[in-house]
Amino acid sequence: MATAPLSRFPKRNCAISTPDSVLFFLAPALPASRSTPRSSISRFSTSSSQWARDNNKNRGVSAVRATGLRKRQTLHVTVDDLPIPIPKEKFTTKIPVDEDHALWGFFNKEKRLLATPEEDAAHGRAWTVQELRQKSWEDLHSLWWVCVKDRNRLATEQIIRDTRKLGYGAYESDTRDQTIRATQRAIRHTLTERWYTWEEARKAARSDPEIDLNAAVGEAYVPMDYDLEIESDPPEAEVEAETVEPEIVEEQPESERSENRSRKERRAAREVVA
């Protein structure tokens, strides 16, 4: 389909007197006026023609677009005057750290920021109450703080995972934390049993005459002196052994026992009739 020329359409208030009066969004659609000189129209620049070009040699050089320098472009600084970077080993001061420091207990064995999921999953079961009853106070105290340090390490690593949005290791860390918490519950259960046992022992000691709770250490238990009297046998003249002969009871035959029973019944019946 052939396009109609622009001369056929009516023009309303479209008189163009100067180039400045042309609207910028209609400029591409309107033909250039014949009265406008060709020298005022620029095909490559949107700058006004009244501003003279500065002939800057560095115009167009952009570090963002990586245009770089032109062949004959020079800088105020030569390549020889550029500073040389200092190696990291020279300005970094290495602080001596004790390899056996106590704070290393809050990190993993490899002393890294994060442990791998395989390392967190490599653990056994929780301690039971039956096993902890056989442990001493010092063993329970040490085991409790080992659990505290391990839980502190897991909580620190979880914060790092959430901050960096790593997306792995949370399941293994939670499983290990639940196992440690089960061990801590068993330790508290064992210590509670020992506390009740101690209180019962104190109550029993208050009523024991051989135990003094207010005494010094090592002198609380004072055993009493018992006089063991050896009783001698009494003389034969004072106490005579009396011999009692057992009575011999003969068993009656069944017929006699039945006759006696019938006689008693008849006697009782007569008494009732009378």
mmCIF file of all heavy atoms in Angstrom, residues 113-154:
data_model
loop_
_atom_site.group_PDB
_atom_site.id
_atom_site.type_symbol
_atom_site.label_atom_id
_atom_site.label_comp_id
_atom_site.label_asym_id
_atom_site.label_seq_id
_atom_site.Cartn_x
_atom_site.Cartn_y
_atom_site.Cartn_z
ATOM 1 N N LEU A 113 36.533 -21.065 59.956
ATOM 2 C CA LEU A 113 35.351 -20.288 60.297
ATOM 3 C C LEU A 113 34.093 -21.148 60.314
ATOM 4 O O LEU A 113 33.216 -20.964 61.162
ATOM 5 C CB LEU A 113 35.178 -19.122 59.312
ATOM 6 C CG LEU A 113 34.095 -18.093 59.636
ATOM 7 C CD1 LEU A 113 34.391 -17.425 60.962
ATOM 8 C CD2 LEU A 113 33.982 -17.069 58.528
ATOM 9 N N LEU A 114 33.977 -22.077 59.386
ATOM 10 C CA LEU A 114 32.818 -22.948 59.276
ATOM 11 C C LEU A 114 33.273 -24.387 59.161
ATOM 12 O O LEU A 114 34.279 -24.675 58.504
ATOM 13 C CB LEU A 114 31.955 -22.578 58.059
ATOM 14 C CG LEU A 114 31.068 -21.343 58.158
ATOM 15 C CD1 LEU A 114 30.382 -21.099 56.830
ATOM 16 C CD2 LEU A 114 30.030 -21.513 59.246
ATOM 17 N N ALA A 115 32.520 -25.256 59.780
ATOM 18 C CA ALA A 115 32.761 -26.695 59.649
ATOM 19 C C ALA A 115 31.896 -27.245 58.519
ATOM 20 O O ALA A 115 30.812 -26.729 58.234
ATOM 21 C CB ALA A 115 32.456 -27.421 60.959
ATOM 22 N N THR A 116 32.372 -28.271 57.876
ATOM 23 C CA THR A 116 31.612 -28.889 56.797
ATOM 24 C C THR A 116 30.444 -29.699 57.373
ATOM 25 O O THR A 116 30.471 -30.102 58.547
ATOM 26 C CB THR A 116 32.525 -29.797 55.968
ATOM 27 O OG1 THR A 116 33.063 -30.823 56.827
ATOM 28 C CG2 THR A 116 33.679 -29.004 55.380
ATOM 29 N N PRO A 117 29.408 -29.952 56.587
ATOM 30 C CA PRO A 117 28.302 -30.781 57.081
ATOM 31 C C PRO A 117 28.743 -32.181 57.504
ATOM 32 O O PRO A 117 28.169 -32.762 58.421
ATOM 33 C CB PRO A 117 27.338 -30.823 55.883
ATOM 34 C CG PRO A 117 27.622 -29.577 55.120
ATOM 35 C CD PRO A 117 29.098 -29.354 55.269
ATOM 36 N N GLU A 118 29.768 -32.731 56.829
ATOM 37 C CA GLU A 118 30.257 -34.046 57.223
ATOM 38 C C GLU A 118 30.883 -34.020 58.607
ATOM 39 O O GLU A 118 30.749 -34.962 59.396
ATOM 40 C CB GLU A 118 31.273 -34.558 56.196
ATOM 41 C CG GLU A 118 30.682 -34.900 54.829
ATOM 42 C CD GLU A 118 30.384 -33.669 54.002
ATOM 43 O OE1 GLU A 118 30.834 -32.568 54.404
ATOM 44 O OE2 GLU A 118 29.707 -33.801 52.967
ATOM 45 N N GLU A 119 31.580 -32.926 58.941
ATOM 46 C CA GLU A 119 32.188 -32.812 60.266
ATOM 47 C C GLU A 119 31.134 -32.647 61.357
ATOM 48 O O GLU A 119 31.283 -33.195 62.462
ATOM 49 C CB GLU A 119 33.157 -31.636 60.288
ATOM 50 C CG GLU A 119 34.379 -31.825 59.389
ATOM 51 C CD GLU A 119 35.237 -30.582 59.315
ATOM 52 O OE1 GLU A 119 34.815 -29.536 59.862
ATOM 53 O OE2 GLU A 119 36.322 -30.647 58.718
ATOM 54 N N ASP A 120 30.082 -31.894 61.087
ATOM 55 C CA ASP A 120 29.015 -31.743 62.086
ATOM 56 C C ASP A 120 28.225 -33.032 62.279
ATOM 57 O O ASP A 120 27.689 -33.284 63.364
ATOM 58 C CB ASP A 120 28.066 -30.610 61.675
ATOM 59 C CG ASP A 120 28.694 -29.243 61.861
ATOM 60 O OD1 ASP A 120 29.663 -29.143 62.637
ATOM 61 O OD2 ASP A 120 28.222 -28.283 61.232
ATOM 62 N N ALA A 121 28.117 -33.830 61.227
ATOM 63 C CA ALA A 121 27.348 -35.079 61.329
ATOM 64 C C ALA A 121 28.150 -36.204 61.978
ATOM 65 O O ALA A 121 27.563 -37.235 62.337
ATOM 66 C CB ALA A 121 26.866 -35.520 59.946
ATOM 67 N N ALA A 122 29.463 -36.024 62.133
ATOM 68 C CA ALA A 122 30.304 -37.074 62.724
ATOM 69 C C ALA A 122 30.270 -36.968 64.248
ATOM 70 O O ALA A 122 31.171 -36.398 64.871
ATOM 71 C CB ALA A 122 31.735 -36.953 62.208
ATOM 72 N N HIS A 123 29.212 -37.488 64.856
ATOM 73 C CA HIS A 123 29.072 -37.485 66.314
ATOM 74 C C HIS A 123 28.301 -38.730 66.726
ATOM 75 O O HIS A 123 27.615 -39.371 65.918
ATOM 76 C CB HIS A 123 28.337 -36.227 66.798
ATOM 77 C CG HIS A 123 26.951 -36.093 66.285
ATOM 78 N ND1 HIS A 123 25.863 -36.689 66.876
ATOM 79 C CD2 HIS A 123 26.474 -35.447 65.183
ATOM 80 C CE1 HIS A 123 24.778 -36.415 66.194
ATOM 81 N NE2 HIS A 123 25.106 -35.668 65.153
ATOM 82 N N GLY A 124 28.424 -39.074 67.992
ATOM 83 C CA GLY A 124 27.737 -40.248 68.522
ATOM 84 C C GLY A 124 26.403 -39.888 69.142
ATOM 85 O O GLY A 124 25.842 -38.812 68.903
ATOM 86 N N ARG A 125 25.908 -40.786 69.968
ATOM 87 C CA ARG A 125 24.628 -40.575 70.639
ATOM 88 C C ARG A 125 24.843 -39.763 71.904
ATOM 89 O O ARG A 125 25.972 -39.497 72.329
ATOM 90 C CB ARG A 125 23.983 -41.920 70.975
ATOM 91 C CG ARG A 125 24.836 -42.780 71.898
ATOM 92 C CD ARG A 125 24.098 -44.023 72.352
ATOM 93 N NE ARG A 125 24.941 -44.869 73.191
ATOM 94 C CZ ARG A 125 25.126 -44.669 74.489
ATOM 95 N NH1 ARG A 125 24.536 -43.654 75.098
ATOM 96 N NH2 ARG A 125 25.900 -45.481 75.193
ATOM 97 N N ALA A 126 23.738 -39.378 72.522
ATOM 98 C CA ALA A 126 23.797 -38.617 73.765
ATOM 99 C C ALA A 126 24.084 -39.545 74.949
ATOM 100 O O ALA A 126 23.797 -40.739 74.905
ATOM 101 C CB ALA A 126 22.485 -37.866 73.990
ATOM 102 N N TRP A 127 24.643 -38.974 76.020
ATOM 103 C CA TRP A 127 24.894 -39.724 77.253
ATOM 104 C C TRP A 127 23.564 -40.006 77.953
ATOM 105 O O TRP A 127 22.671 -39.171 77.962
ATOM 106 C CB TRP A 127 25.806 -38.932 78.181
ATOM 107 C CG TRP A 127 27.241 -38.886 77.750
ATOM 108 C CD1 TRP A 127 27.773 -38.115 76.772
ATOM 109 C CD2 TRP A 127 28.322 -39.668 78.286
ATOM 110 N NE1 TRP A 127 29.116 -38.339 76.663
ATOM 111 C CE2 TRP A 127 29.481 -39.290 77.582
ATOM 112 C CE3 TRP A 127 28.414 -40.608 79.296
ATOM 113 C CZ2 TRP A 127 30.723 -39.840 77.859
ATOM 114 C CZ3 TRP A 127 29.651 -41.163 79.570
ATOM 115 C CH2 TRP A 127 30.791 -40.788 78.853
ATOM 116 N N THR A 128 23.485 -41.177 78.561
ATOM 117 C CA THR A 128 22.273 -41.549 79.300
ATOM 118 C C THR A 128 22.482 -41.278 80.791
ATOM 119 O O THR A 128 23.605 -41.120 81.273
ATOM 120 C CB THR A 128 21.946 -43.026 79.075
ATOM 121 O OG1 THR A 128 23.045 -43.834 79.547
ATOM 122 C CG2 THR A 128 21.715 -43.313 77.597
ATOM 123 N N VAL A 129 21.370 -41.260 81.526
ATOM 124 C CA VAL A 129 21.438 -41.021 82.967
ATOM 125 C C VAL A 129 22.144 -42.178 83.672
ATOM 126 O O VAL A 129 22.904 -41.974 84.630
ATOM 127 C CB VAL A 129 20.020 -40.814 83.527
ATOM 128 C CG1 VAL A 129 20.058 -40.607 85.032
ATOM 129 C CG2 VAL A 129 19.341 -39.639 82.846
ATOM 130 N N GLN A 130 21.916 -43.423 83.216
ATOM 131 C CA GLN A 130 22.561 -44.578 83.837
ATOM 132 C C GLN A 130 24.074 -44.498 83.713
ATOM 133 O O GLN A 130 24.809 -44.897 84.634
ATOM 134 C CB GLN A 130 22.049 -45.880 83.204
ATOM 135 C CG GLN A 130 20.608 -46.207 83.512
ATOM 136 C CD GLN A 130 19.621 -45.371 82.697
ATOM 137 O OE1 GLN A 130 20.018 -44.686 81.763
ATOM 138 N NE2 GLN A 130 18.348 -45.436 83.048
ATOM 139 N N GLU A 131 24.570 -43.986 82.587
ATOM 140 C CA GLU A 131 26.016 -43.849 82.410
ATOM 141 C C GLU A 131 26.587 -42.708 83.241
ATOM 142 O O GLU A 131 27.689 -42.813 83.788
ATOM 143 C CB GLU A 131 26.335 -43.632 80.930
ATOM 144 C CG GLU A 131 25.991 -44.813 80.048
ATOM 145 C CD GLU A 131 26.103 -44.494 78.574
ATOM 146 O OE1 GLU A 131 26.184 -43.288 78.236
ATOM 147 O OE2 GLU A 131 26.111 -45.427 77.762
ATOM 148 N N LEU A 132 25.849 -41.624 83.355
ATOM 149 C CA LEU A 132 26.349 -40.471 84.090
ATOM 150 C C LEU A 132 26.311 -40.681 85.601
ATOM 151 O O LEU A 132 27.012 -39.962 86.329
ATOM 152 C CB LEU A 132 25.531 -39.228 83.715
ATOM 153 C CG LEU A 132 25.652 -38.766 82.258
ATOM 154 C CD1 LEU A 132 24.736 -37.595 82.002
ATOM 155 C CD2 LEU A 132 27.089 -38.385 81.929
ATOM 156 N N ARG A 133 25.508 -41.593 86.083
ATOM 157 C CA ARG A 133 25.494 -41.871 87.528
ATOM 158 C C ARG A 133 26.826 -42.428 88.022
ATOM 159 O O ARG A 133 27.144 -42.320 89.202
ATOM 160 C CB ARG A 133 24.367 -42.849 87.854
ATOM 161 C CG ARG A 133 22.981 -42.235 87.815
ATOM 162 C CD ARG A 133 21.914 -43.292 87.916
ATOM 163 N NE ARG A 133 20.577 -42.702 87.850
ATOM 164 C CZ ARG A 133 19.465 -43.400 87.626
ATOM 165 N NH1 ARG A 133 19.547 -44.723 87.429
ATOM 166 N NH2 ARG A 133 18.295 -42.796 87.575
ATOM 167 N N GLN A 134 27.599 -43.019 87.129
ATOM 168 C CA GLN A 134 28.890 -43.590 87.510
ATOM 169 C C GLN A 134 30.026 -42.564 87.452
ATOM 170 O O GLN A 134 31.153 -42.894 87.827
ATOM 171 C CB GLN A 134 29.231 -44.766 86.567
ATOM 172 C CG GLN A 134 28.135 -45.794 86.407
ATOM 173 C CD GLN A 134 27.759 -46.464 87.708
ATOM 174 O OE1 GLN A 134 28.617 -46.684 88.570
ATOM 175 N NE2 GLN A 134 26.485 -46.820 87.860
ATOM 176 N N LYS A 135 29.749 -41.352 87.004
ATOM 177 C CA LYS A 135 30.784 -40.336 86.848
ATOM 178 C C LYS A 135 30.912 -39.505 88.123
ATOM 179 O O LYS A 135 29.975 -39.362 88.901
ATOM 180 C CB LYS A 135 30.471 -39.423 85.661
ATOM 181 C CG LYS A 135 30.375 -40.134 84.328
ATOM 182 C CD LYS A 135 31.693 -40.777 83.951
ATOM 183 C CE LYS A 135 31.599 -41.488 82.608
ATOM 184 N NZ LYS A 135 32.886 -42.122 82.232
ATOM 185 N N SER A 136 32.091 -38.927 88.289
ATOM 186 C CA SER A 136 32.350 -38.079 89.449
ATOM 187 C C SER A 136 31.861 -36.660 89.179
ATOM 188 O O SER A 136 31.447 -36.312 88.067
ATOM 189 C CB SER A 136 33.849 -38.072 89.768
ATOM 190 O OG SER A 136 34.587 -37.538 88.671
ATOM 191 N N TRP A 137 31.972 -35.821 90.213
ATOM 192 C CA TRP A 137 31.571 -34.429 90.057
ATOM 193 C C TRP A 137 32.449 -33.720 89.021
ATOM 194 O O TRP A 137 31.964 -32.911 88.226
ATOM 195 C CB TRP A 137 31.664 -33.703 91.405
ATOM 196 C CG TRP A 137 30.674 -34.173 92.415
ATOM 197 C CD1 TRP A 137 30.866 -35.115 93.369
ATOM 198 C CD2 TRP A 137 29.324 -33.713 92.568
ATOM 199 N NE1 TRP A 137 29.725 -35.285 94.117
ATOM 200 C CE2 TRP A 137 28.760 -34.430 93.649
ATOM 201 C CE3 TRP A 137 28.543 -32.770 91.914
ATOM 202 C CZ2 TRP A 137 27.460 -34.236 94.078
ATOM 203 C CZ3 TRP A 137 27.248 -32.565 92.347
ATOM 204 C CH2 TRP A 137 26.716 -33.288 93.402
ATOM 205 N N GLU A 138 33.759 -34.006 89.043
ATOM 206 C CA GLU A 138 34.670 -33.359 88.098
ATOM 207 C C GLU A 138 34.369 -33.777 86.662
ATOM 208 O O GLU A 138 34.437 -32.942 85.740
ATOM 209 C CB GLU A 138 36.122 -33.701 88.456
ATOM 210 C CG GLU A 138 36.630 -33.073 89.736
ATOM 211 C CD GLU A 138 36.091 -33.773 90.980
ATOM 212 O OE1 GLU A 138 35.494 -34.868 90.818
ATOM 213 O OE2 GLU A 138 36.245 -33.231 92.085
ATOM 214 N N ASP A 139 34.036 -35.043 86.453
ATOM 215 C CA ASP A 139 33.712 -35.504 85.096
ATOM 216 C C ASP A 139 32.432 -34.848 84.587
ATOM 217 O O ASP A 139 32.349 -34.440 83.413
ATOM 218 C CB ASP A 139 33.570 -37.020 85.073
ATOM 219 C CG ASP A 139 34.893 -37.724 85.370
ATOM 220 O OD1 ASP A 139 35.943 -37.074 85.215
ATOM 221 O OD2 ASP A 139 34.864 -38.901 85.765
ATOM 222 N N LEU A 140 31.427 -34.743 85.428
ATOM 223 C CA LEU A 140 30.180 -34.101 85.013
ATOM 224 C C LEU A 140 30.401 -32.618 84.720
ATOM 225 O O LEU A 140 29.824 -32.064 83.772
ATOM 226 C CB LEU A 140 29.115 -34.274 86.092
ATOM 227 C CG LEU A 140 28.630 -35.703 86.346
ATOM 228 C CD1 LEU A 140 27.617 -35.717 87.474
ATOM 229 C CD2 LEU A 140 28.024 -36.307 85.086
ATOM 230 N N HIS A 141 31.230 -31.968 85.534
ATOM 231 C CA HIS A 141 31.520 -30.547 85.315
ATOM 232 C C HIS A 141 32.250 -30.340 83.994
ATOM 233 O O HIS A 141 31.927 -29.425 83.223
ATOM 234 C CB HIS A 141 32.356 -30.016 86.479
ATOM 235 C CG HIS A 141 32.623 -28.551 86.420
ATOM 236 N ND1 HIS A 141 33.728 -28.021 85.783
ATOM 237 C CD2 HIS A 141 31.919 -27.497 86.897
ATOM 238 C CE1 HIS A 141 33.698 -26.705 85.881
ATOM 239 N NE2 HIS A 141 32.615 -26.355 86.545
ATOM 240 N N SER A 142 33.230 -31.179 83.698
ATOM 241 C CA SER A 142 33.975 -31.057 82.442
ATOM 242 C C SER A 142 33.082 -31.350 81.245
ATOM 243 O O SER A 142 33.132 -30.642 80.224
ATOM 244 C CB SER A 142 35.171 -32.013 82.456
ATOM 245 O OG SER A 142 36.031 -31.739 83.541
ATOM 246 N N LEU A 143 32.254 -32.384 81.345
ATOM 247 C CA LEU A 143 31.361 -32.732 80.231
ATOM 248 C C LEU A 143 30.351 -31.628 79.961
ATOM 249 O O LEU A 143 29.993 -31.353 78.806
ATOM 250 C CB LEU A 143 30.654 -34.054 80.538
ATOM 251 C CG LEU A 143 29.704 -34.593 79.463
ATOM 252 C CD1 LEU A 143 30.435 -34.803 78.156
ATOM 253 C CD2 LEU A 143 29.038 -35.881 79.940
ATOM 254 N N TRP A 144 29.868 -30.968 81.015
ATOM 255 C CA TRP A 144 28.900 -29.884 80.837
ATOM 256 C C TRP A 144 29.513 -28.736 80.029
ATOM 257 O O TRP A 144 28.886 -28.217 79.107
ATOM 258 C CB TRP A 144 28.427 -29.395 82.201
ATOM 259 C CG TRP A 144 27.527 -28.207 82.127
ATOM 260 C CD1 TRP A 144 27.878 -26.890 82.193
ATOM 261 C CD2 TRP A 144 26.105 -28.223 81.922
ATOM 262 N NE1 TRP A 144 26.782 -26.089 82.079
ATOM 263 C CE2 TRP A 144 25.674 -26.878 81.901
ATOM 264 C CE3 TRP A 144 25.158 -29.228 81.771
ATOM 265 C CZ2 TRP A 144 24.350 -26.521 81.727
ATOM 266 C CZ3 TRP A 144 23.840 -28.873 81.597
ATOM 267 C CH2 TRP A 144 23.439 -27.535 81.580
ATOM 268 N N TRP A 145 30.746 -28.334 80.360
ATOM 269 C CA TRP A 145 31.347 -27.208 79.652
ATOM 270 C C TRP A 145 31.821 -27.581 78.258
ATOM 271 O O TRP A 145 31.915 -26.716 77.375
ATOM 272 C CB TRP A 145 32.496 -26.633 80.469
ATOM 273 C CG TRP A 145 31.997 -25.835 81.631
ATOM 274 C CD1 TRP A 145 32.040 -26.164 82.950
ATOM 275 C CD2 TRP A 145 31.324 -24.572 81.559
ATOM 276 N NE1 TRP A 145 31.451 -25.199 83.714
ATOM 277 C CE2 TRP A 145 30.998 -24.194 82.887
ATOM 278 C CE3 TRP A 145 30.972 -23.721 80.524
ATOM 279 C CZ2 TRP A 145 30.338 -23.011 83.183
ATOM 280 C CZ3 TRP A 145 30.314 -22.541 80.822
ATOM 281 C CH2 TRP A 145 30.007 -22.195 82.137
ATOM 282 N N VAL A 146 32.098 -28.834 78.010
ATOM 283 C CA VAL A 146 32.359 -29.272 76.632
ATOM 284 C C VAL A 146 31.100 -29.107 75.779
ATOM 285 O O VAL A 146 31.157 -28.655 74.627
ATOM 286 C CB VAL A 146 32.851 -30.738 76.625
ATOM 287 C CG1 VAL A 146 32.830 -31.303 75.215
ATOM 288 C CG2 VAL A 146 34.252 -30.827 77.194
ATOM 289 N N CYS A 147 29.950 -29.446 76.352
ATOM 290 C CA CYS A 147 28.684 -29.254 75.634
ATOM 291 C C CYS A 147 28.401 -27.777 75.400
ATOM 292 O O CYS A 147 27.909 -27.388 74.325
ATOM 293 C CB CYS A 147 27.539 -29.893 76.425
ATOM 294 S SG CYS A 147 27.632 -31.686 76.588
ATOM 295 N N VAL A 148 28.707 -26.929 76.389
ATOM 296 C CA VAL A 148 28.456 -25.494 76.239
ATOM 297 C C VAL A 148 29.309 -24.914 75.113
ATOM 298 O O VAL A 148 28.834 -24.127 74.272
ATOM 299 C CB VAL A 148 28.726 -24.769 77.566
ATOM 300 C CG1 VAL A 148 28.723 -23.257 77.371
ATOM 301 C CG2 VAL A 148 27.675 -25.147 78.597
ATOM 302 N N LYS A 149 30.588 -25.270 75.052
ATOM 303 C CA LYS A 149 31.473 -24.753 74.007
ATOM 304 C C LYS A 149 31.051 -25.240 72.624
ATOM 305 O O LYS A 149 31.105 -24.476 71.647
ATOM 306 C CB LYS A 149 32.910 -25.161 74.298
ATOM 307 C CG LYS A 149 33.526 -24.456 75.489
ATOM 308 C CD LYS A 149 35.034 -24.665 75.549
ATOM 309 C CE LYS A 149 35.379 -26.106 75.783
ATOM 310 N NZ LYS A 149 36.849 -26.291 75.929
ATOM 311 N N ASP A 150 30.632 -26.493 72.542
ATOM 312 C CA ASP A 150 30.200 -27.010 71.234
ATOM 313 C C ASP A 150 28.924 -26.323 70.764
ATOM 314 O O ASP A 150 28.774 -26.003 69.573
ATOM 315 C CB ASP A 150 29.987 -28.515 71.330
ATOM 316 C CG ASP A 150 30.152 -29.206 69.985
ATOM 317 O OD1 ASP A 150 30.466 -28.496 69.011
ATOM 318 O OD2 ASP A 150 29.987 -30.432 69.907
ATOM 319 N N ARG A 151 27.985 -26.068 71.679
ATOM 320 C CA ARG A 151 26.766 -25.353 71.297
ATOM 321 C C ARG A 151 27.060 -23.899 70.918
ATOM 322 O O ARG A 151 26.403 -23.336 70.028
ATOM 323 C CB ARG A 151 25.760 -25.399 72.442
ATOM 324 C CG ARG A 151 25.149 -26.769 72.690
ATOM 325 C CD ARG A 151 23.942 -26.662 73.576
ATOM 326 N NE ARG A 151 22.887 -25.895 72.937
ATOM 327 C CZ ARG A 151 21.812 -25.426 73.559
ATOM 328 N NH1 ARG A 151 21.683 -25.629 74.866
ATOM 329 N NH2 ARG A 151 20.899 -24.748 72.907
ATOM 330 N N ASN A 152 28.023 -23.284 71.583
ATOM 331 C CA ASN A 152 28.424 -21.925 71.219
ATOM 332 C C ASN A 152 28.998 -21.895 69.811
ATOM 333 O O ASN A 152 28.708 -20.993 69.025
ATOM 334 C CB ASN A 152 29.446 -21.407 72.239
ATOM 335 C CG ASN A 152 29.656 -19.910 72.116
ATOM 336 O OD1 ASN A 152 29.429 -19.325 71.070
ATOM 337 N ND2 ASN A 152 30.115 -19.295 73.188
ATOM 338 N N ARG A 153 29.808 -22.882 69.472
ATOM 339 C CA ARG A 153 30.381 -22.947 68.123
ATOM 340 C C ARG A 153 29.288 -23.142 67.067
ATOM 341 O O ARG A 153 29.295 -22.483 66.015
ATOM 342 C CB ARG A 153 31.384 -24.096 68.051
ATOM 343 C CG ARG A 153 32.001 -24.298 66.679
ATOM 344 C CD ARG A 153 32.874 -25.529 66.660
ATOM 345 N NE ARG A 153 32.114 -26.733 66.878
ATOM 346 C CZ ARG A 153 31.465 -27.383 65.921
ATOM 347 N NH1 ARG A 153 31.459 -26.910 64.684
ATOM 348 N NH2 ARG A 153 30.808 -28.488 66.194
ATOM 349 N N LEU A 154 28.328 -24.018 67.349
ATOM 350 C CA LEU A 154 27.248 -24.256 66.389
ATOM 351 C C LEU A 154 26.390 -23.008 66.193
ATOM 352 O O LEU A 154 25.966 -22.700 65.071
ATOM 353 C CB LEU A 154 26.378 -25.419 66.872
ATOM 354 C CG LEU A 154 27.045 -26.793 66.907
ATOM 355 C CD1 LEU A 154 26.099 -27.825 67.505
ATOM 356 C CD2 LEU A 154 27.497 -27.219 65.526
#
